[in-house]
Amino acid sequence: MPHWYEKLIKKKELKETGVYIGDIHNKDGHHRLFICLLRGLLVFFACYGTVVGVIEAFSLPYNMPIVTVFFFFISMLVALLYWRKFLFYPGYILILIVFTSYLVKYYLYANSGYQAIINQIYSEYSDYFKLLSVREAQEFFSNRYVTVTIAMCFIGTFLALLLNVTISGYMNLLETILITFPFLEIAFFIDLKPPVYCIILLLSVYFCVGIQQAMGTFRMQVKGKNSPEFIRFKRKKETKHIYQSSASGTLKIYLFSLAVSLILGLCFIPTYYANKTESAPNALRAEADNLVKIFVQNGFTGLFDRYDSTGGLNHGHLGGVSNVRPDFETDIKVTFAPYTYDTVYLKSFTGNYYQANTWYSHTYTEERVFLSGNDIQTFDHLYMPTSEAKGKMTVENVDLVYSLPLLPYYSVTEQETIPLGESLTVSYSPHVGTEYPKMYDELPEAYDTYIHEKCLYVPETIRAELADYCIEAEFTGIATSTFTEPASGTVTESYDPVTGELISNASFEEINAYRLALANEVYAHFIKDFSYTMAPGSTPYNKDYVEYFLTTQKRGFCAHFASSAVMLLRTMGVPARYVEGYCIPATLIADDAKPVAGESVADWYSGPSELSEQGVISLEVNDSYAHAWIEIYLEGYGFVPFEVTPADLGNENEGLSDLAALFSGLFSFEFNLETDLEDVTAQPPELPDEEPLFPRLSLSAKALLVPLCIFFGVLASILFMFFIIRLILISHKRNKWLKEGNYKELVYEKYEILNKKIQKQILSKRNHSTNENPLPDELCKLLSSHLSKDKIAKKTTSFPEVNYERFAALLNKALYSSKGITPEEYKELLNMFKDLNKQLSFTE
């Protein structure tokens, strides 16, 4: 560094700490070139293990020799940028320029190879999750062997630049893992296995980087040949001095890391390749699967909501909600007297007109007469059961930000909203039993037109697609755009295209039976071929909500099923409409209902009941019970509710409680310590003629225990051998010093042992500090003071008296004199060391 800058640092450190340590140079240097090459090897192994591991896991073709040579070359090149200061910044700039120019030159090949990799990944994920369709990128060239190889070279270059920063620059384990392992997780997530040698290479890099980071002696300044022995750096407000990286130390650490990685890899090969066992349902894994499905089909845009949802309900707005996450806080509070085992529905919104992924409560007649939601509800009240049942219900808005109407079926009270914190009491005539009572025979012309025209409306943009879908699904109804053809010969039903009047040779009972049969077919079709999820992903901007759900998405929540069912039924000539609100199942009533004291059942309900008298109850309903369903028009009976959402909702509303189980399903390494129980009646499988080198064992306790025993046995053997070899080397070194007459090193070794022992005893018995590195005279004073005061030792046994003055003189001569000591003096010192060590051992 510049002289003036060095002076500033010196002045500042002397002011702050009172001590300044300048650059201490090592004339032999630190073998910077060798260190750079070793780090280049780490970068190569990390880069190669990551990219090749992913490519081979997905069975993509590539030229291995070219990729191997190129990765090795680029890794060494970027690592050598740390060799000399003048190479560092110009080198990075030059590499980026060359990288960019070649990327522009071979853009079509690189892009085609990259798209081939993406397409293959999408294809594997599609097969794993059984997705109907996925996005597919365009490949300019069909020869994947060439294009994938070129793409790998560019990806490897970019990855090597990043890894060189985390390894050569900072030696940061976390950053290295974050750069490499997520690529492998793409394969692990769907149970594809990268080659074992790639995993071993990566593990060796992780171990080596982690050890060097923990030791803190990995740093290497970007300087010239005369690098200082220490590196000075600031950590917060404190100045630190550490040794620069050592070439021999780096090599030893890496060889140790590679050995451990090889042992781990060889021990766990059977486990690694074993067939994956079925694991228990995992909430986090299910959530991750949903997000992956959304991304594979829709990309990143499918992961985000374009507007908020209230328990999944949006007043007819569809397609902009990626996932529904109930907060399970109370939305409404309902007070009533139960009377049926059936689900109680509270209507909030009725969708009559569908256009551009939105349901509207209003509609127009053919004469362009506007019918609002209130107008339609007024007509709906023409259908009021003539049964004896009469009920009363109070609905309180506890936490609904939007003021919504919430009415039970066949309410006498007119529809009105319930502001936050307020309640509304309504009277209604509930339907009890399995048969709907006939209510009204003649309809006003406007309402009849609304039912038989507007409740059959299908947008032109999706009409043909829905008709084709009904035919492919083999529904018994007729998919028609005019609704004038007979329905599969089962019932003859048509409508005058001008007046809209019903022309029918069949009875209302036959027509209604036909409509209910079609609704049940649609429901059965959903159960068979679709899945319920609260995280289906948002509908793409350029797609219709219903068409996309039926033909591509194949999964969704209640709004998906209800909207699609209405469109399918309308396509087949069944008047239907979409409804949002809250459902109150019998299980919720049984589990969470609270009796209301002081209220008479007669004041809340009268008439036939399927239940024994339950009393008046109060029930808190949270947002997980917000729901969407459909209404089918039955001739003579009006619009009746019909459930089309599959009932097996799975674990959508379960919380994430077990932290250990939370993450177990995210990765493919699942260890099951329970021995699998096999069916004793099953026939034994046929064995192959030749056993594989590493059989794919099941993940039972035995299969897992054997590799663990081998691993720990090998590890213990390595540690034992290391200890033995270390003792041998130390003994060899001492014998060499003794033959050469180098008594200084031998005496200093004994001196250090004696000093540590006395320091340990004094610090443990006295509450004061001592000099940790005393001179011989100071050490003798400590020994004399400590041992002379130990009365117990002198009474219980007799030790030879040590002449401390003679001991100090011999120590000074051995350690500081240029002539050293004679063999006789060394033997004398050795005996003194033995006597003092015995006395210190006795006083412990």
Side-chain angles (χ1 to χ4, degrees):
M1 65 180 67
H3 180 66
W4 61 270
Y5 186 60
E6 180 77 19
K7 290 179 65 176
L8 286 177
I9 294 179
K10 179 179 180 180
K11 183 178 179 181
K12 184 177 180 180
E13 291 190 10
L14 285 173
K15 183 178 179 181
E16 292 178 353
T17 64
V19 177
Y20 172 72
I21 302 177
D23 289 346
I24 303 174
H25 293 277
N26 184 349
K27 63 180 181 179
D28 297 327
H30 299 275
H31 304 288
R32 295 178 60 84
L33 178 61
F34 187 60
I35 296 173
C36 290
L37 293 177
L38 286 175
R39 294 183 175 182
L41 195 63
L42 291 177
V43 173
F44 166 68
F45 283 164
C47 187
Y48 189 86
T50 301
V51 179
V52 174
V54 173
I55 295 301
E56 292 205 3
F58 285 94
S59 303
L60 282 159
Y62 72 102
N63 189 306
M64 178 177 283
I66 291 178
V67 169
T68 303
V69 172
F70 181 83
F71 278 23
F72 184 81
F73 170 76
I74 194 65
S75 300
M76 292 298 176
L77 182 63
V78 296
L80 286 174
L81 297 180
Y82 282 83
W83 183 31
R84 292 288 185 263
K85 185 176 182 180
F86 68 87
L87 290 176
F88 188 73
Y89 295 108
Y92 266 116
I93 295 172
L94 182 61
I95 290 175
L96 289 175
I97 292 174
V98 174
F99 175 81
T100 305
S101 62
Y102 273 91
L103 182 60
V104 172
K105 184 177 181 179
Y106 296 101
Y107 169 76
L108 292 180
Y109 288 96
N111 183 68
S112 185
Y114 173 77
Q115 300 302 346
I117 297 171
I118 296 299
N119 287 338
Q120 182 67 16
I121 293 174
Y122 282 165
S123 177
E124 293 289 347
Y125 270 74
S126 177
D127 293 341
Y128 182 83
F129 289 112
K130 298 180 176 60
L131 301 177
L132 185 65
S133 64
V134 295
R135 298 174 296 141
E136 185 172 353
Q138 181 183 1
E139 298 179 39
F140 298 103
F141 301 100
S142 59
N143 190 344
R144 286 189 171 184
Y145 183 78
V146 174
T147 58
V148 170
T149 301
I150 295 175
M152 289 176 68
C153 291
F154 282 103
I155 295 172
T157 302
F158 181 73
L159 198 61
L161 289 170
L162 294 179
L163 288 170
N164 191 47
V165 174
T166 64
I167 294 176
S168 298
Y170 301 105
M171 203 62 70
N172 190 296
L173 175 60
L174 178 60
E175 292 178 1
T176 303
I177 293 176
L178 291 177
I179 291 174
T180 55
F181 187 77
F183 290 99
L184 296 181
E185 178 59 16
I186 297 174
F188 287 138
F189 196 83
I190 57 174
D191 301 331
L192 295 180
K193 303 294 193 302
V196 173
Y197 69 87
C198 293
I199 304 300
I200 292 175
L201 293 179
L202 275 175
L203 283 178
S204 68
V205 174
Y206 294 161
F207 281 129
C208 186
V209 172
I211 292 172
Q212 291 191 70
Q213 182 183 11
M215 293 175 62
T217 57
F218 61 88
R219 295 175 181 268
M220 186 173 65
Q221 286 183 336
V222 185
K223 285 196 172 185
K225 184 176 181 180
N226 295 323
S227 299
E229 185 78 13
F230 294 91
I231 296 178
R232 180 174 56 243
F233 67 99
K234 295 278 287 187
R235 179 173 291 173
K236 296 183 179 179
K237 293 185 177 180
E238 188 177 0
T239 301
K240 297 283 186 179
H241 292 80
I242 63 170
Y243 280 102
Q244 287 217 71
S245 181
S246 165
S248 60
T250 303
L251 179 60
K252 291 174 184 177
I253 291 172
Y254 182 68
L255 291 177
F256 172 78
S257 302
L258 186 59
V260 172
S261 302
L262 282 171
I263 294 170
L264 284 173
L266 293 176
C267 289
F268 284 95
I269 280 180
T271 301
Y272 182 73
Y273 282 116
N275 294 325
K276 184 180 178 182
T277 57
E278 291 293 331
S279 57
N282 182 281
L284 188 59
R285 173 66 194 225
E287 180 71 13
D289 285 350
N290 281 328
L291 295 176
V292 170
K293 291 177 187 177
I294 294 169
F295 175 76
V296 171
Q297 283 192 323
N298 299 358
F300 281 111
T301 58
L303 299 172
F304 303 102
D305 295 339
R306 296 196 290 272
Y307 46 77
D308 296 330
S309 61
T310 305
L313 306 182
N314 293 286
H315 317 292
H317 296 285
L318 309 173
V321 178
S322 169
N323 58 80
V324 178
R325 297 180 180 273
D327 58 17
F328 300 100
E329 299 293 334
T330 301
D331 281 357
I332 59 173
K333 187 176 180 180
V334 181
T335 304
F336 70 111
Y339 57 88
T340 180
Y341 290 107
D342 294 333
T343 298
V344 176
Y345 292 97
L346 302 180
K347 293 176 61 174
S348 172
F349 170 85
T350 302
N352 297 289
Y353 176 72
Y354 176 79
Q355 193 71 42
N357 296 349
T358 304
W359 283 103
Y360 298 95
S361 60
H362 64 263
T363 187
Y364 293 88
T365 64
E366 195 166 283
E367 293 79 15
R368 306 303 297 166
V369 176
F370 176 76
L371 291 176
S372 66
N374 289 330
D375 295 333
I376 296 171
Q377 187 199 31
T378 301
F379 286 129
D380 287 344
H381 281 172
L382 295 173
Y383 287 105
M384 191 62 65
T386 56
S387 64
E388 300 176 357
K390 302 294 180 184
K392 183 176 70 171
M393 177 182 291
T394 297
V395 181
E396 179 185 351
N397 183 351
V398 177
D399 193 32
L400 284 178
V401 179
Y402 302 102
S403 298
L404 303 176
L406 287 168
L407 299 176
Y409 271 85
Y410 310 120
S411 297
V412 178
T413 307
E414 291 292 330
Q415 176 173 300
E416 60 179 282
T417 60
I418 308 175
L420 181 64
E422 297 185 14
S423 60
L424 175 68
T425 300
V426 299
S427 300
Y428 62 108
S429 298
H431 159 246
V432 182
T434 58
E435 296 293 333
Y436 283 98
K438 192 171 182 179
M439 294 173 282
Y440 198 80
D441 291 324
E442 296 182 4
L443 299 175
E445 183 177 348
Y447 190 46
D448 188 271
T449 302
Y450 157 75
I451 293 170
H452 298 104
E453 178 185 322
K454 293 306 173 184
C455 289
L456 292 171
Y457 173 75
V458 178
E460 292 285 347
T461 54
I462 60 173
R463 183 174 296 177
E465 288 77 5
L466 290 178
D468 293 339
Y469 186 88
C470 291
I471 295 172
E472 291 176 5
E474 298 182 349
F475 294 134
T476 57
I478 293 297
T480 171
S481 60
T482 59
F483 311 110
T484 58
E485 299 180 26
S488 188
T490 303
V491 60
T492 304
E493 177 186 4
S494 60
Y495 302 93
D496 189 299
V498 178
T499 65
E501 294 180 358
L502 176 66
I503 304 172
S504 177
N505 296 326
S507 65
F508 280 171
E509 285 73 16
E510 291 175 310
I511 295 173
N512 293 340
Y514 162 73
R515 292 175 179 175
L516 290 173
L518 281 183
N520 281 306
E521 284 186 31
V522 171
Y523 177 61
H525 177 70
F526 285 160
I527 292 178
K528 178 183 176 182
D529 297 333
F530 290 73
S531 60
Y532 181 93
T533 176
M534 299 184 76
S538 59
T539 304
Y541 281 99
N542 59 341
K543 298 290 185 179
D544 179 81
Y545 182 82
V546 171
E547 180 189 1
Y548 184 72
F549 171 72
L550 292 174
T551 61
T552 302
Q553 205 166 18
K554 296 288 184 177
R555 65 186 187 277
F557 47 84
C558 54
H560 292 83
F561 290 100
S563 298
S564 301
V566 170
M567 288 294 103
L568 290 174
L569 290 174
R570 286 186 177 186
T571 302
M572 293 184 288
V574 179
R577 60 191 187 184
Y578 170 86
V579 184
E580 291 179 355
Y582 281 78
C583 64
I584 305 176
T587 54
L588 180 63
I589 297 175
D591 296 339
D592 297 341
K594 298 178 182 178
V596 179
E599 292 288 344
S600 172
V601 176
D603 296 333
W604 290 84
Y605 182 81
S606 62
S609 174
E610 297 176 355
L611 307 174
S612 57
E613 187 171 303
Q614 301 289 312
V616 181
I617 64 167
S618 176
L619 190 65
E620 295 181 349
V621 183
N622 62 50
D623 59 345
S624 68
Y625 293 97
H627 191 46
W629 62 94
I630 72 170
E631 291 178 343
I632 301 172
Y633 182 76
L634 300 181
E635 300 292 342
Y637 298 92
F639 285 95
V640 298
F642 193 90
E643 186 59 73
V644 290
T645 302
D648 53 339
L649 306 186
N651 298 322
E652 293 292 341
N653 293 341
E654 288 188 3
L656 307 179
S657 56
D658 187 358
L659 185 62
L662 220 64
F663 296 96
S664 63
L666 281 180
F667 306 99
S668 65
F669 299 106
E670 296 187 4
F671 301 102
N672 183 11
L673 296 179
E674 298 180 1
T675 304
D676 298 330
L677 298 177
E678 298 182 358
D679 187 359
V680 294
T681 62
Q683 295 294 327
E686 295 183 2
L687 296 176
D689 295 335
E690 296 183 3
E691 286 291 327
L693 180 61
F694 297 105
R696 296 191 173 197
L697 304 177
S698 62
L699 294 181
S700 61
K702 182 178 179 180
L704 184 61
L705 189 59
V706 171
L708 285 176
C709 291
I710 294 174
F711 167 70
F712 286 112
V714 173
L715 183 61
S717 301
I718 291 175
L719 294 176
F720 178 74
M721 290 299 297
F722 177 78
F723 177 74
I724 296 297
I725 292 172
R726 184 173 179 272
L727 289 179
I728 293 173
L729 292 175
I730 292 174
S731 177
H732 173 73
K733 181 175 63 175
R734 288 173 179 170
N735 290 332
K736 182 181 178 182
W737 288 339
L738 195 59
K739 288 180 180 180
E740 294 174 350
N742 187 4
Y743 301 117
K744 177 180 179 180
E745 297 293 341
L746 293 169
V747 170
Y748 183 74
E749 192 178 62
K750 299 289 185 181
Y751 182 85
E752 282 292 297
I753 296 173
L754 183 66
N755 179 43
K756 287 180 181 178
K757 186 174 287 190
I758 187 65
Q759 291 288 338
K760 180 181 177 181
Q761 291 192 18
I762 292 176
L763 289 176
S764 63
K765 293 183 178 181
R766 301 179 183 178
N767 189 21
H768 64 82
S769 60
T770 62
N771 185 4
E772 294 182 3
N773 298 296
L775 294 171
D777 293 335
E778 294 173 335
L779 180 66
C780 289
K781 288 181 181 179
L782 286 174
L783 288 168
S784 176
S785 173
H786 181 63
L787 294 176
S788 64
K789 291 183 179 180
D790 198 335
K791 307 298 184 183
I792 299 176
K794 296 205 171 187
K795 288 182 180 179
T796 56
T797 185
S798 60
F799 290 103
E801 289 290 338
V802 176
N803 187 337
Y804 292 108
E805 292 182 1
R806 175 64 176 168
F807 183 59
L810 288 175
L811 284 177
N812 283 314
K813 185 178 180 182
L815 296 176
Y816 304 117
S817 173
S818 59
K819 295 181 179 181
I821 58 176
T822 64
E824 292 74 16
E825 289 173 333
Y826 172 69
K827 290 180 181 179
E828 184 181 355
L829 261 179
L830 203 59
N831 291 328
M832 290 181 178
F833 275 121
K834 290 180 181 178
D835 292 340
L836 290 171
N837 278 313
K838 286 181 182 179
Q839 294 182 44
L840 289 174
S841 300
F842 187 80
T843 59
E844 285 183 349

